[in-house]
Amino acid sequence: MILETNNNSMAGFKSRLANDSGVTSPRSQKSQPSDMELMKVKFAKLLLGEDMSGGGKGVSSALALSNAITNLAASVFGEMKRLEPMPADRKAKWKKEISWLLSVPDHIVEFVPCKQISKYGTTMEVMVTKQRSDLLMNIPALRKLDTMLIDCLDGLADQSEFSYVSKDDESQEGKNSRKDDKWWLPTPKVPPNGLSDPMRKWLRFQKDSLNQVHKAAMAINAQVLSEMEIPESYIESLPKNGRASLGDSIYKSITEEYFDPDYFFTTMDMSSEHKILDLKDRIEASVVIWRRKMNAKDGKSSWGIAVSFEKREIFEERAEVILLILKQRFPGIPQSTLDISKIQYNRDVGQAILESYSRIIESRAFTIMSRIGDVLQADAMAQNPSNGEVKRPLSDKEEVGKLNSAENGAAMTLLDFMGWTPDQEDNNTKKALKEDATKYVDAKSPCKPPNIVTNKRFSYLENLGMCRSPTARH
């Protein structure tokens, strides 16, 4: 009897809780931690070097921050398969958590001289703290580029001219199925007559603007990588001379009396990403070897008496030219062995944040440009189906490489840096395209990049790494 009475009273209590809208369960409140608690957990992991066991096996603080930015971008952006705005919750998460991680460089300072006037009128020179110059210049620039990428996607919120073919749409299966190396991506679907003229010009203008964003982030990333120290473990793994690193055929092509970069690439096997990356690794290793020998000025090196110091310097410059052209033609290749080694053993927290943040922006700009290219390719096929079927669609790397090679304007291309003169026909076309597109650009999404100026020249170590960061070796 007592048990039955208790059960009835408990049922009545539950019903009153269910009817009372103002009563919330204490368990539900605990399941939603505040932003302060989330920030504490994130920074606790960073302080422990991603080793929550407390065993002291964590990575360095620089690598932990680099991995944190990379993992955050992977969880928020993922693999962008469609050209569409970001969901509001993921956008809010990115802005909030990247602000936490970017608050670390605010406390990386350096001493600078400053004049101070005392109350008696005496002028003294004292040392004051100021945010490190490279962080002070590049962090705001990268934040601006990051905001511009999000704004460009937000500008597509109201568009209804193109969509994507669903996997369940059997009527479009044979018509729009992909036959290129991007078969795993959804196929864009445009109206039968193609996109409207304003939308087409707007997309082309966005693609051109994103190319500038991509190159600005790439310049910052390349500069940071060039300033990182080369780890001793990488140097120890190098062969004794550049010939052993390059191989006889590549070494002979670089050391010939008359060197033609275009002819050099015709003799190389560039059929796969693995072979391109292997060529880049070999040339970077030879450049490091040659530079170390030139700095040491060892007259009894394995080069022999017949090779003078001037010729050695010429060969090293030729290798740098090849690396620059590789960067120009294949911007999407993964990070080289040298770059991965630098990131893994880097101990500078500021450089780690700059490198990872700029790499994330590079990868996103590259992906958005590729998705815009897919829509424009579908539009071209709709306008002229016969040409669209015969012509093979460009891959992501080929399309961005072509866009970079035809670029002309405020940003300097790699060919401009080397002093070579590109054709002027593409320049006039690109200039006319910009003038036409500005008439149709939506005022709420002006994705025009700012002028990003770095204080040093490009280095041969320019690299566009994909959205990943190396793990530490123990």
Side-chain angles (χ1 to χ4, degrees):
M1 186 69 179
I2 296 174
L3 181 62
E4 183 178 357
T5 303
N6 292 336
N7 290 337
N8 293 335
S9 61
M10 183 62 68
F13 177 71
K14 288 182 178 180
S15 63
R16 288 195 302 273
L17 286 178
N19 295 330
D20 191 353
S21 60
V23 178
T24 58
S25 173
R27 181 174 298 179
S28 63
Q29 294 179 354
K30 293 182 180 179
S31 63
Q32 298 177 355
S34 62
D35 291 346
M36 181 61 69
E37 293 175 348
L38 291 174
M39 185 173 63
K40 288 180 179 179
V41 171
K42 183 174 289 292
F43 278 97
K45 292 180 180 179
L46 294 176
L47 289 173
L48 292 174
E50 301 176 350
D51 179 23
M52 299 301 291
S53 66
K57 298 181 180 180
V59 299
S60 64
S61 299
L63 184 57
L65 276 166
S66 177
N67 291 338
I69 295 176
T70 302
N71 296 335
L72 174 62
S75 64
V76 172
F77 302 107
E79 193 170 11
M80 184 176 162
K81 297 182 179 181
R82 300 171 183 264
L83 188 62
E84 58 187 2
M86 288 180 60
D89 55 341
R90 284 162 51 186
K91 187 197 306 183
K93 178 183 178 181
W94 169 255
K95 290 183 177 180
K96 177 177 62 179
E97 297 194 16
I98 196 64
S99 297
W100 295 346
L101 297 174
L102 293 181
S103 64
V104 176
D106 295 339
H107 306 280
I108 302 177
V109 296
E110 60 184 357
F111 283 104
V112 294
C114 178
K115 291 185 178 181
Q116 190 177 41
I117 301 177
S118 65
K119 60 180 180 179
Y120 302 105
T122 306
T123 302
M124 298 179 296
E125 189 176 76
V126 297
M127 301 297 290
V128 297
T129 58
K130 179 184 176 183
Q131 188 179 18
R132 211 169 69 185
S133 57
D134 59 336
L135 302 174
L136 183 64
M137 178 180 64
N138 292 322
I139 290 294
L142 291 173
R143 279 182 173 272
K144 179 63 176 177
L145 297 177
D146 186 8
T147 305
M148 289 166 57
L149 292 178
I150 297 177
D151 292 342
C152 287
L153 292 177
D154 290 342
L156 298 165
D158 299 330
Q159 76 82 23
S160 58
E161 293 196 27
F162 65 88
S163 59
Y164 288 87
V165 177
S166 174
K167 294 182 179 180
D168 301 331
D169 191 356
E170 298 179 357
S171 62
Q172 303 288 340
E173 183 177 357
K175 182 178 178 181
N176 290 329
S177 58
R178 285 184 176 274
K179 299 179 182 179
D180 59 346
D181 61 346
K182 297 184 284 186
W183 56 267
W184 47 272
L185 291 173
T187 306
K189 181 171 61 176
V190 299
N193 296 328
L195 299 172
S196 65
D197 193 56
M199 173 58 72
R200 186 182 303 113
K201 291 183 178 180
W202 185 81
L203 286 176
R204 289 176 179 174
F205 179 80
Q206 294 296 327
K207 188 175 182 181
D208 182 67
S209 300
L210 287 171
N211 184 45
Q212 300 297 326
V213 174
H214 172 265
K215 290 165 66 176
M218 182 174 61
I220 295 176
N221 184 266
Q223 187 62 44
V224 175
L225 282 172
S226 67
E227 293 175 355
M228 288 184 180
E229 295 183 2
I230 301 177
E232 290 294 331
S233 59
Y234 178 82
I235 296 176
E236 293 173 357
S237 65
L238 296 177
K240 294 183 179 180
N241 52 59
R243 184 167 191 161
S245 174
L246 293 173
D248 292 337
S249 61
I250 302 177
Y251 177 82
K252 183 178 179 181
S253 300
I254 293 179
T255 57
E256 285 181 347
E257 184 177 358
Y258 299 102
F259 174 70
D260 185 3
D262 292 331
Y263 177 75
F264 172 83
F265 282 103
T266 60
T267 60
M268 295 293 106
D269 185 5
M270 317 287 283
S271 57
S272 66
E273 184 181 85
H274 174 73
K275 294 179 179 179
I276 297 172
L277 186 61
D278 179 67
L279 176 62
K280 185 177 180 180
D281 285 337
R282 288 173 177 269
I283 295 178
E284 281 188 347
S286 64
V287 169
V288 173
I289 294 172
W290 294 341
R291 283 202 164 187
R292 285 175 58 84
K293 288 187 175 182
M294 286 189 296
N295 293 334
K297 297 182 180 180
D298 185 5
K300 298 180 180 180
S301 63
S302 58
W303 282 65
I305 303 175
V307 180
S308 63
F309 183 85
E310 289 75 13
K311 284 188 176 181
R312 187 180 301 180
E313 188 175 6
I314 291 175
F315 298 156
E316 187 256 343
E317 290 177 355
R318 290 176 177 179
E320 289 185 8
V321 171
I322 296 174
L323 289 173
L324 289 171
I325 298 177
L326 279 175
K327 180 69 174 179
Q328 171 79 9
R329 296 184 181 179
F330 306 98
I333 58 176
Q335 292 170 322
S336 63
T337 304
L338 176 59
D339 293 331
I340 293 176
S341 181
K342 282 185 172 185
I343 296 171
Q344 178 181 343
Y345 293 99
N346 172 53
R347 293 296 181 267
D348 191 310
V349 174
Q351 289 182 342
I353 293 176
L354 285 178
E355 190 282 327
S356 57
Y357 194 27
S358 60
R359 172 163 40 89
I360 294 303
I361 295 176
E362 287 178 30
S363 178
R364 288 167 54 200
F366 178 82
T367 304
I368 297 173
M369 280 192 292
S370 300
R371 301 296 86 82
I372 293 178
D374 294 341
V375 176
L376 293 176
Q377 176 66 27
D379 174 61
M381 293 179 66
Q383 289 181 324
N384 196 344
S386 60
N387 292 340
E389 292 176 0
V390 174
K391 185 178 179 181
R392 181 183 66 87
L394 295 176
S395 65
D396 288 352
K397 301 176 183 61
E398 293 172 336
E399 191 158 0
V400 177
K402 181 180 179 182
L403 186 59
N404 286 338
S405 62
E407 180 62 27
N408 183 34
M412 182 176 59
T413 64
L414 297 178
L415 294 179
D416 296 332
F417 172 71
M418 296 308 302
W420 299 338
T421 304
D423 295 336
Q424 299 298 327
E425 297 177 359
D426 292 339
N427 299 340
N428 298 332
T429 304
K430 187 67 67 175
K431 183 177 180 180
L433 176 62
K434 288 183 180 181
E435 294 176 355
D436 293 338
T438 51
K439 301 177 182 178
Y440 298 95
V441 175
D442 192 357
K444 66 179 180 180
S445 179
C447 188
K448 185 177 180 181
N451 293 327
I452 307 300
V453 181
T454 55
N455 57 348
K456 294 185 179 181
R457 68 176 181 88
F458 282 101
S459 169
Y460 68 92
L461 297 177
E462 287 187 344
N463 179 70
L464 171 61
M466 302 308 288
C467 182
R468 58 192 179 202
S469 181
T471 56
R473 299 187 181 99
H474 302 299

